Amino acid sequence: MALRFLKSLRRRRGEDVVPDMGGSMEGSMEGDSTGFASLKQFEKMHRFDPNLPLDELEEVDIALSTENIEKGAEIEQILAEDNSPYPEVRATVRNFDVDMPVNTIRAWTIGMFLCTVGSAVNMLLSLRNPSISLTTFVIQLIAYPLGLVWDLIFPDRVFNVWGLKFNFKPGPFNFKEHVIIVVMSNAAYGGGALYATDVIIAQRMWYDQDFGWLWQIMFGITTLCTGYGLAGLARRFLVWPAAMIWPTDLVNCALFYTLHDHSPTDPARADGWSISRYKWFMIVFSGSFLWYWFPGYLFQGLQWFCWLTWIWPENVVVNQLFGGYSGYGLFPITLDWSIVSGYLMSPLIPPFHAIANVLGGITGFFVIVSLGIHYSGMWYAAYLPVQNSHAYDNTGHLYNVSAILGDDLQFDEAKYNAYSPLYLPIQFALAYGLSFAAITAVIVHVGLYHGREIWTQWKLARSQEDDVHMRLMKKYRDAEDWWYVVLFVVMLGLSFAVVCAWDTNFPWWAYLVCIGIPIIWTVPIGIVQAITNIQLGLNVLTEFIVGYMLPGRPLAMMMFKNYGYLCMAQALYFIQDLKLGHYMKVPPRVMFWSQLIASIWSAIVQIAVMNWALATIPDVCSETQVHQWNCPSARVFYTASIIWGAIGPARMFSGGALYSSLQWFWLVGAVAPVITWFLARRYQRGIWRYVNMPLIFGGSGMLPPATVFIYYCWGIVGTVFNFVIRRRRTGWWLQYNYVTSSALDCGLIVSTLVIFFALYMSGTEAPKWFGNTTALSTLDMLTKAVQIPVPPGETFGPSTWP
């Protein structure tokens, strides 16, 4: 890779790519001093790149330190291949472009159809408990046969209607059209149902407010599309550089090529395997589909295979230490892919260094530190389960939010003082502290490790030639920066109207603070995600800030969280799709319009379905709704609005509050990356270059509701594939790893949909036997593994509280 800079430089100067070895080294070096200056610049920018193979960096160091042009030629044979410097990208993404129709009637019709259906289904099912959603992997699978059926129906013929020429079938259905279809769906509902609907449902069902359809649609559209404006402005940092590999996109690329190319594999490149990736995908997909019927229906104890708790189901300590559902999960075994990948995505995707950092944080904080706190009795931990995502009162029961509300559904301080402070399980409390640390750590880490790259890429913009994919994309007209600027400004204006034109109790100045959060954090968090495949969330930061700024304003709190957190999350979805289009060589302007139009239409569809459901389903959102249409996600959002918007962070984390010591994590997060950066500079080829403090602090961001057990199962599988297999069977890993990942996910998703609609929706109960009853009735599974249960009528904790 490094000498590719020298290579391109020589091409611009009209020189041969391979230097003449017949002359003296001194003469060669004199003519190539500029090239080695580029080499030095590259080494400075990528010296801490954990995904770049270490042996390649060492070869570059040798060439630079010895100024040996012959050594440089040897490196050229290894690195100067016209491809990406990253092995996983080279193995997955083609280093050439094929001209084929993209902006077709076929792609738009199928894309908008699936966007509409997926948006409606995801919105409707999000109101039910348990909920389920259509993912982009499902859409990717469904779109392929739809494209083939389209080709059977329509002719390859140019029509001319009033001078307008078009073709319903301009050649066979191709993978670039397939990308457009998937990108439209991912932009519309890649993260599930529209986040803004949780705010609207909570507002209507529990706060008895209804601002009408116009406000709802504007709120939904601005939530999605403000993030798109940010994505476009950040693409020079997060899309164009080769170092931003976005591992999830590699899985999508592998699946696209697998579906559209059924050619056999070269055994010399795959450790002797010759089976085509398409056939391997179908085998693993079928196995995954069939197997999930066991843990998903027939033997649900295989999900949380905590057999020690089956032997001692009533032993508190055993269930705390070895229980996976509400304990520490110190014996992590599962035979269910949904446990491994459900919260954290497939462990076959992130590089091993990311997995190791996350497991280090989990072990250090959620096992070692947590054990010390829990069994010392700190924070009244003996009265609470080890971990879950609920808050508790001083009787050991779930916190009753309605007990602190007045008749107007607003916070009543007198009732709060008469009821109870809010208590959190140890793991939940630590999760807040670590989220504080991650927020500051990511800014410091990115500034130290990637500041030079950000500045360089800001100056180079689209003229950067980081790898072959960037060079190939230059043949297409780019979506201009001003397109994204105009979109961002328009969305800002509409957002001000949403905030200020209705009685939201959300002042305009607070919105400026709110939108500043994604502006500041999108690039730093995006860099970490692009390198490691792990996203650090801002939901806690938004709740924390608005709780101090606007206490006692629950609706404003929900809107602040929606704009502050989701704008960044949605921006990263868009950026991930832009990188997918970059890899698959889809014209940027087609990407722009397909993402934008799909997002706007999806917001309208989801708002319409939400209003229809709230008006049609009897007793909707009630906990006693007979068919479980009880709006679980919106209910959690409502509860959070009370806790953070009414009780507020000041009563939890400030002054003499119980969890005030967690505020030190802000400082810890800011200092820790500085220490690791100095160590990485001192030992540039040692283990410290792989240490990532934002991941150590924030990689556990899904805990809770994920558990230590889930993280360990995820980490074990990831280590087997991305450390053991990758090093011992590199050829197999490069050819089949991402195909295996997509097949496991797709089989699980399709099996889940079949079980859900065919059995659960029809009321068919799972078989009643040990694997579905006793195995799920331990203290761990019932979240009752508590050291000191509170006797009826008594309380624990202080008699007065802030």
Side-chain angles (χ1 to χ4, degrees):
M1 168 65 185
L3 288 182
R4 224 170 280 125
F5 278 82
L6 179 58
K7 183 178 179 180
S8 61
L9 179 67
R10 286 174 177 156
R11 281 174 175 161
R12 291 195 295 269
R13 287 161 46 187
E15 298 176 7
D16 292 332
V17 172
V18 180
D20 180 12
M21 296 300 170
S24 67
M25 183 185 302
E26 291 80 2
S28 297
M29 283 305 302
E30 183 179 354
D32 292 296
S33 58
T34 306
F36 271 88
S38 299
L39 195 63
K40 291 177 182 178
Q41 175 67 14
F42 172 82
E43 192 277 334
K44 288 180 181 178
M45 292 180 64
H46 292 267
R47 64 177 52 168
F48 299 128
D49 187 346
N51 291 319
L52 199 64
L54 194 57
D55 56 349
E56 295 183 7
L57 282 175
E58 290 174 345
E59 293 291 333
V60 171
D61 285 343
I62 293 172
L64 288 173
S65 62
T66 62
E67 295 187 341
N68 186 338
I69 201 64
E70 293 183 3
K71 186 66 177 178
E74 293 177 10
I75 302 173
E76 184 78 17
Q77 296 300 316
I78 302 173
L79 299 178
E81 177 187 356
D82 202 15
N83 210 326
S84 170
Y86 301 95
E88 54 267 60
V89 179
R90 288 199 297 267
T92 308
V93 184
R94 293 174 178 173
N95 62 334
F96 58 88
D97 187 20
V98 179
D99 289 327
M100 55 182 62
V102 182
N103 195 22
T104 65
I105 295 174
R106 177 172 50 199
W108 278 93
T109 303
I110 298 175
M112 291 302 291
F113 170 73
L114 292 178
C115 174
T116 304
V117 172
S119 298
V121 170
N122 276 0
M123 180 64 251
L124 185 61
L125 293 182
S126 72
L127 303 179
R128 193 179 187 279
N129 187 24
S131 60
I132 197 171
S133 63
L134 297 179
T135 69
T136 51
F137 280 124
V138 173
I139 298 303
Q140 197 167 354
L141 286 179
I142 294 174
Y144 181 64
L146 287 179
L148 299 182
V149 170
W150 180 287
D151 286 355
L152 293 175
I153 297 174
F154 294 96
D156 188 353
R157 172 186 164 191
V158 177
F159 293 87
N160 191 331
V161 179
W162 298 328
L164 178 63
K165 296 182 179 181
F166 58 90
N167 189 342
F168 287 109
K169 179 190 169 186
F173 180 59
N174 63 71
F175 64 80
K176 290 191 180 184
E177 292 175 292
H178 203 167
V179 171
I180 290 297
I181 294 168
V182 171
V183 160
M184 292 171 76
S185 298
N186 198 38
Y189 50 85
L194 180 64
Y195 205 62
T197 57
D198 286 336
V199 178
I200 298 170
I201 292 171
Q203 178 196 27
R204 286 186 55 178
M205 304 309 296
W206 292 290
Y207 289 112
D208 198 25
Q209 288 181 322
D210 188 355
F211 292 154
W213 278 58
L214 178 60
W215 182 85
Q216 294 172 6
I217 290 174
M218 289 175 61
F219 185 39
I221 290 175
T222 53
T223 294
L224 288 177
C225 296
T226 305
Y228 194 19
L230 288 176
L233 297 175
R235 70 196 190 284
R236 71 184 63 212
F237 310 115
L238 301 176
V239 175
W240 297 340
M244 305 294 108
I245 63 175
W246 290 93
T248 295
D249 283 339
L250 301 180
V251 179
N252 287 116
C253 291
L255 184 53
F256 280 125
Y257 291 135
T258 298
L259 294 175
H260 290 268
D261 182 4
H262 302 174
S263 59
T265 300
D266 180 3
R269 301 177 58 190
D271 292 317
W273 282 49
S274 60
I275 185 173
S276 70
R277 295 202 289 184
Y278 179 78
K279 187 174 182 180
W280 176 248
F281 172 85
M282 295 307 299
I283 291 173
V284 177
F285 169 82
S286 301
S288 178
F289 173 84
L290 294 173
W291 173 253
Y292 184 66
W293 284 80
F294 289 95
Y297 185 69
L298 298 174
F299 187 179
Q300 297 172 28
L302 296 176
Q303 296 178 343
W304 310 87
F305 199 77
C306 305
W307 59 274
L308 287 173
T309 66
W310 300 352
I311 300 173
W312 295 284
E314 302 295 327
N315 188 294
V316 172
V317 175
V318 169
N319 280 264
Q320 285 183 336
L321 293 178
F322 302 105
Y325 188 74
S326 62
Y328 286 101
L330 298 183
F331 207 128
I333 301 175
T334 183
L335 297 174
D336 181 4
W337 186 248
S338 70
I339 295 294
V340 174
S341 65
Y343 287 106
L344 311 174
M345 299 181 63
S346 170
L348 279 64
I349 303 175
F352 173 69
H353 64 81
I355 295 172
N357 277 284
V358 171
L359 291 183
I362 288 290
T363 302
F365 291 102
F366 289 100
V367 175
I368 297 174
V369 173
S370 177
L371 280 169
I373 293 176
H374 189 86
Y375 289 106
S376 69
M378 183 177 173
W379 293 340
Y380 304 101
Y383 300 95
L384 304 172
V386 171
Q387 93 93 36
N388 60 36
S389 54
H390 297 297
Y392 291 83
D393 61 21
N394 54 13
T395 68
H397 293 92
L398 296 182
Y399 202 86
N400 182 8
V401 174
S402 61
I404 61 172
L405 300 180
D407 295 335
D408 58 354
L409 296 179
Q410 299 296 312
F411 176 71
D412 188 318
E413 187 167 1
K415 287 188 174 182
Y416 168 72
N417 290 329
Y419 175 44
S420 169
L422 187 143
Y423 294 95
L424 301 174
I426 291 297
Q427 306 279 35
F428 201 173
L430 281 175
Y432 276 118
L434 290 173
S435 67
F436 299 159
I439 289 165
T440 53
V442 70
I443 293 292
V444 177
H445 175 92
V446 170
L448 293 173
Y449 287 79
H450 302 281
R452 185 191 301 270
E453 300 165 44
I454 292 174
W455 177 244
T456 301
Q457 286 149 10
W458 174 261
K459 293 187 295 182
L460 290 176
R462 193 164 166 80
S463 63
Q464 58 186 282
E465 291 191 9
D466 208 7
D467 67 349
V468 64
H469 305 297
M470 185 67 195
R471 293 196 293 274
L472 289 172
M473 283 300 289
K474 288 182 179 179
K475 66 183 284 188
Y476 301 109
R477 294 181 65 190
D478 192 24
E480 303 293 343
D481 281 346
W482 67 265
W483 290 15
Y484 293 100
V485 172
V486 169
L487 176 62
F488 185 64
V489 171
V490 169
M491 289 302 123
L492 283 182
L494 291 177
S495 299
F496 270 112
V498 169
V499 167
C500 300
W502 282 267
D503 186 20
T504 62
N505 284 322
F506 194 170
W508 65 268
W509 57 267
Y511 174 76
L512 291 179
V513 175
C514 171
I515 204 63
I517 294 173
I519 289 175
I520 293 171
W521 265 277
T522 294
V523 170
I525 290 179
I527 287 176
V528 173
Q529 183 176 352
I531 292 173
T532 67
N533 200 59
I534 296 171
Q535 184 182 124
L536 310 178
L538 290 178
N539 51 330
V540 171
L541 177 64
T542 56
E543 292 169 337
F544 192 85
I545 292 176
V546 71
Y548 277 106
M549 281 198 334
L550 303 173
R553 303 189 189 186
L555 177 58
M557 176 267 162
M558 292 190 293
M559 293 180 65
F560 189 100
K561 179 180 178 180
N562 194 85
Y563 279 120
Y565 164 62
L566 194 70
C567 281
M568 182 216 70
Q570 196 65 31
L572 294 179
Y573 274 117
F574 285 128
I575 290 169
Q576 181 174 296
D577 282 342
L578 288 174
K579 186 68 174 188
L580 179 62
H582 188 85
Y583 279 147
M584 304 298 290
K585 316 302 178 296
V586 177
R589 295 192 173 201
V590 180
M591 292 287 294
F592 176 89
W593 290 112
S594 61
Q595 289 180 291
L596 179 59
I597 292 173
S599 299
I600 294 173
W601 175 243
S602 174
I604 296 172
V605 169
Q606 293 191 62
I607 294 296
V609 171
M610 178 204 70
N611 280 287
W612 172 83
L614 295 183
T616 305
I617 299 175
D619 205 23
V620 66
C621 294
S622 169
E623 290 193 39
T624 59
Q625 211 283 333
V626 63
H627 296 299
Q628 300 300 310
W629 296 97
N630 51 22
C631 311
S633 181
R635 186 176 296 278
V636 170
F637 217 94
Y638 163 68
T639 302
S641 73
I642 298 298
I643 293 174
W644 289 95
I647 296 177
R651 291 186 174 92
M652 296 173 61
F653 300 109
S654 295
L658 181 62
Y659 303 107
S660 60
S661 57
L662 293 175
Q663 295 272 26
W664 286 102
F665 275 95
W666 297 101
L667 179 61
V668 172
V671 172
V674 178
I675 297 173
T676 59
W677 182 70
F678 276 113
L679 291 170
R681 285 172 59 90
R682 176 66 179 83
Y683 308 101
Q684 292 189 18
R685 298 298 177 260
I687 194 174
W688 289 104
R689 70 190 306 272
Y690 298 105
V691 176
N692 187 312
M693 293 311 299
L695 277 191
I696 291 176
F697 293 132
S700 55
M702 291 303 297
L703 193 158
T707 67
V708 172
F709 176 89
I710 289 176
Y711 270 93
Y712 274 145
C713 292
W714 172 84
I716 290 170
V717 174
T719 300
V720 169
F721 276 89
N722 290 344
F723 183 78
V724 179
I725 294 179
R726 178 166 182 170
R727 281 159 175 76
R728 296 185 179 181
R729 294 290 185 268
T730 304
W732 186 96
W733 189 92
L734 292 172
Q735 289 296 315
Y736 297 107
N737 180 70
Y738 293 127
V739 174
T740 303
S741 177
S742 62
L744 288 168
D745 285 341
C746 290
L748 169 66
I749 293 166
V750 174
S751 184
T752 302
L753 290 172
V754 171
I755 292 173
F756 181 82
F757 286 108
L759 300 177
Y760 288 117
M761 289 291 285
S762 65
T764 304
E765 294 186 3
K768 299 293 186 181
W769 71 290
F770 172 86
N772 289 336
T773 56
T774 306
L776 304 180
S777 301
T778 62
L779 290 179
D780 166 56
M781 296 301 297
L782 299 174
T783 66
K784 294 182 178 180
V786 177
Q787 287 171 271
I788 309 177
V790 183
E794 297 187 15
T795 62
F796 67 87
S799 56
T800 60
W801 47 85

